[in-house]
């Protein structure tokens, strides 16, 4: 029983055959009893029955209850076959072709992450004052200082000074505008790299979960990746490289096609990455010092024709 494996089409065909056999048996017995019913009225015209139960089918020659046991056994066998077919129904997973070196980069892709907006440079300092030399002819000799007598006695009249009127202070200048919000840093390498969804409930440490996540990510990519027809017809093979940012909430943003081999392959790879935001679960964000951060993720996508 463990070796029986039937596909969905085979189960449906066998169920149809079994239903056809049952319908055929019903029609056969119906015609059989109808053919035997001819002349039974004249045969049992003067018959008397020992019990009303004897005549429950009217005539013993066409009594269907005589076949109760064979029909019961046939129904039991049909039910057993139906159960075997149901338990033998096997769902075959779609085989996904994943290249052996799917996550290996041919060379290091050096792409600077998006930088935050730098503040404008300060204004240049004012130019130093220009010192002009004055000719000696224009220099006049200073007069000798004149000393005035400042002594005060009883006869000296002192004038009352005029009151000083305070001028209104000018309004304070408006406060400077607030500085622009500082954009969060985008990391390239963190203590815990972001992981594709589906492995957080798996047992093991972060390394085991990361290996599981990479496997599920490859299954997702190469199951949903559509090889462009023009690339297949022209035998275009190679590696496209896509970079994207895994945000702190696990969403995929800022998708950038770094390397494209042409023939529509880059657009096909980019479409698969965009579809990650439509999954039931989001990525597990990367963490640095225990807190989620934005991480730049580099993903190679290989296009290889199956031999």
């Amino acid at each position: 029983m463990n070796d029986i494996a039937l596909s969905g089409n085979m189960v449906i065909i066998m169920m149809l055959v079994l239903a056809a056999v049952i319908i055929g048996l019903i029609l056969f017995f119906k015609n059989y009893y109808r053919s035997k019913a001819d002349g039974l009225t004249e045969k049992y015209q003067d018959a008397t029955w020992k019990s009303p139960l004897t005549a429950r089918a009217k005539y013993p020659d066409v009594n269907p209850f005589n076949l109760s046991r064979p029909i019961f056994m046939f129904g039991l066998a049909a039910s057993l076959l139906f159960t075997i077919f149901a338990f033998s129904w096997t769902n075959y997973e779609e085989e996904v072709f994943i290249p052996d070196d799917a996550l290996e980069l041919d060379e290091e892709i050096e792409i600077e992450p998006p930088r935050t907006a730098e503040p404008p440079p300060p204004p240049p300092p004012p130019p130093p004052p220009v010192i002009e030399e004055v000719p000696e002819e224009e220099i006049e000799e200073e007069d000798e200082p004149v000393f005035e007598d400042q002594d005060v006695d009883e006869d000296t009249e002192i004038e009352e000074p005029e009151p000083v009127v305070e001028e209104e202070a000018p309004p304070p200048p408006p406060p400077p505008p607030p500085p622009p919000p500082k954009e969060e840093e985008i990391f390239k390498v963190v203590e815990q790299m972001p992981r594709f969804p589906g492995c957080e409930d798996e047992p093991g440490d972060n390394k085991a979960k990361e290996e599981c996540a990479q496997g599920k990510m490859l299954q997702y990519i190469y199951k949903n990746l559509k090889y462009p027809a023009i690339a297949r017809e022209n035998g275009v093979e190679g590696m496209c490289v896509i970079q994207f940012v895994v945000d702190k909430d696990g969403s995929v943003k800022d998708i950038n096609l770094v390397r494209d081999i042409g023939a529509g392959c880059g657009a096909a790879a980019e479409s698969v990455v965009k579809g990650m935001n439509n999954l039931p679960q989001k990525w597990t964000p990367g963490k640095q010092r225990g807190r989620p951060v934005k991480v730049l993720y580099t993903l190679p996508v290989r296009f290889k024709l199956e031999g």
Side-chain angles (χ1 to χ4, degrees):
M1 292 294 296
N2 295 334
D3 297 333
I4 299 177
L6 302 177
S7 63
N9 293 333
M10 293 179 64
V11 171
I12 293 174
I13 292 173
M14 290 183 178
M15 295 299 298
L16 292 176
V17 171
L18 184 59
V21 171
I22 295 174
I23 294 173
L25 288 174
I26 293 173
L27 295 176
F28 169 76
F29 283 109
K30 182 178 180 180
N31 294 330
Y32 172 73
Y33 284 116
R34 182 178 295 173
S35 63
K36 290 188 65 176
D38 297 337
L40 293 179
T41 303
E42 293 79 6
K43 179 179 178 181
Y44 292 100
Q45 185 175 4
D46 300 329
T48 57
W49 313 106
K50 296 180 180 180
S51 171
L53 295 177
T54 308
R56 60 185 174 179
K58 193 173 183 180
Y59 302 117
D61 304 70
V62 289
N63 184 5
F65 291 97
N66 294 332
L67 299 176
S68 297
R69 183 173 179 80
I71 292 175
F72 173 76
M73 298 302 294
F74 175 78
L76 187 62
S79 301
L80 182 61
L81 287 175
F82 177 81
T83 305
I84 292 175
F85 294 160
F87 279 100
S88 300
W89 187 354
T90 304
N91 289 327
Y92 296 95
E93 294 185 0
E94 182 181 356
E95 185 176 356
V96 180
F97 173 72
I98 301 177
D100 297 334
D101 51 354
L103 293 178
E104 295 182 4
L105 291 171
D106 295 339
E107 58 186 19
E108 185 69 20
I109 306 296
E110 294 291 343
I111 300 294
E112 292 292 333
R115 296 185 177 181
T116 57
E118 297 182 357
V130 180
I131 301 175
E132 297 181 358
E133 183 179 359
V134 179
E136 294 182 359
E137 293 80 5
E138 298 181 3
I139 300 176
E140 297 180 356
E141 294 183 359
E142 296 182 357
D143 297 335
E144 293 183 359
V146 177
F147 296 97
E148 295 182 0
D149 186 10
Q150 300 292 332
D151 294 338
V152 178
D153 53 15
E154 296 179 355
D155 299 331
T156 304
E157 296 182 359
I158 300 176
E159 297 180 358
E160 183 180 0
E162 297 181 359
V164 178
V165 180
E166 296 183 358
E167 298 181 357
E168 295 183 0
K182 184 178 180 181
E183 297 185 10
E184 298 184 12
E185 183 181 359
I186 299 177
F187 295 84
K188 295 180 68 176
V189 179
V190 291
E191 297 173 355
Q192 178 182 317
M193 293 295 290
R195 294 193 292 260
F196 190 80
C199 293
E200 295 308 306
D201 296 334
E202 296 292 326
D205 54 3
N206 287 331
K207 185 177 180 181
K209 292 181 179 180
E210 186 174 352
E211 293 177 356
C212 171
Q214 288 183 355
K216 286 188 177 295
M217 181 179 64
L218 292 177
Q219 286 283 340
Y220 164 80
I221 291 174
Y222 290 97
K223 182 178 180 180
N224 295 278
L225 183 65
K226 299 185 183 300
Y227 212 117
I230 186 172
R232 188 183 299 275
E233 293 172 358
N234 293 277
V236 177
E237 295 182 341
M239 180 181 66
C240 295
V241 180
I242 295 180
Q243 287 189 332
F244 54 89
V245 175
V246 180
D247 209 342
K248 294 191 297 183
D249 61 351
S251 58
V252 176
K253 298 180 179 180
D254 300 334
I255 302 173
N256 182 26
L257 181 61
V258 179
R259 179 190 295 175
D260 187 5
I261 59 176
C265 294
E270 193 173 1
S271 176
V272 173
V273 175
K274 289 180 179 178
M276 293 180 180
N277 286 325
N278 299 327
L279 294 174
Q281 297 178 347
K282 294 183 178 181
W283 280 62
T284 301
K287 292 184 178 180
Q288 182 71 9
R289 297 180 181 177
R291 62 182 182 89
V293 292
K294 297 181 178 181
V295 180
L296 182 69
Y297 198 94
T298 302
L299 176 65
V301 180
R302 293 186 180 273
F303 289 83
K304 187 174 182 180
L305 297 172
E306 300 182 38

